[in-house]
Amino acid sequence: MGRLTIGMAHFFERLLAYRADVYLLTFLTVLSVQPRLFRFDPQVILIATCFSSLMAFVYLFNKTTDLNEDAVNTAGGPIAATSIESVRILAWLCAIVPAVVLWILTMNIALLLMYLTVGVMGYFYSKPLPFLSASIRLKQLLGGKTFTSTC
């Protein structure tokens, strides 16, 4: 096998190792909003794929910021210290590439704004909110975890 093939296999192995069930559930949820469920409109499949990838960003990025918590509760297994940066890069690719594809193929500003809003919420789920003096993440606020998960 070539290096590119091995690299892509490693990429997808990493991606699926962290909550593949959530990506699938997101994909199916977006597909379910079609007027006729089994019609398979290519644009809806594109949107479902992009939002599933965004959920991968949220989960992967959170894994790179929750090293202490995951070491205790081993939710999905902690990330090895040597692979934190590669998982973080993978997370950002899961957010940025679909956003660009979504914009180029749909040119729908409302859809892109919804995508970006969910992405920003996912980011601040794991990173401190910049407008608060304390180092507080969205998931630490009362109802923050539930609100973020619902969106």
Side-chain angles (χ1 to χ4, degrees):
M1 268 203 268
R3 292 184 116 200
L4 180 61
T5 307
I6 292 170
M8 289 303 290
H10 184 67
F11 171 86
F12 286 110
E13 178 185 320
R14 276 246 167 128
L15 183 61
L16 294 175
Y18 302 105
R19 301 301 308 265
D21 58 320
V22 173
Y23 320 144
L24 179 61
L25 185 59
T26 302
F27 183 82
L28 294 174
T29 300
V30 175
L31 280 184
S32 72
V33 300
Q34 293 187 98
R36 290 186 302 178
L37 188 56
F38 296 106
R39 192 176 52 135
F40 299 119
D41 180 349
Q43 190 169 25
V44 175
I45 291 172
L46 168 73
I47 294 166
T49 303
C50 289
F51 275 88
S52 296
S53 184
L54 185 60
M55 290 304 103
F57 160 73
V58 172
Y59 275 86
L60 291 171
F61 189 72
N62 187 54
K63 286 297 252 182
T64 66
T65 61
D66 278 356
L67 299 177
N68 294 332
E69 293 94 332
D70 288 347
V72 172
N73 68 20
T74 63
I79 295 174
T82 56
S83 62
I84 291 171
E85 194 57 35
S86 64
V87 172
R88 191 169 284 151
I89 290 168
L90 174 61
W92 282 107
L93 285 172
C94 286
I96 295 168
V97 172
V100 172
V101 169
L102 195 63
W103 175 248
I104 290 171
L105 295 181
T106 68
M107 293 289 181
N108 185 326
I109 191 72
L111 186 62
L112 185 63
L113 286 174
M114 183 173 26
Y115 183 93
L116 293 174
T117 300
V118 172
V120 167
M121 286 174 51
Y123 177 83
F124 287 118
Y125 180 83
S126 301
K127 294 297 262 182
L129 295 161
F131 51 85
L132 296 177
S133 58
S135 182
I136 297 176
R137 299 178 288 181
L138 188 57
K139 65 180 166 183
Q140 294 169 307
L141 296 175
L142 181 63
K145 249 185 187 180
T146 304
F147 178 72
T148 307
S149 298
T150 303
C151 292

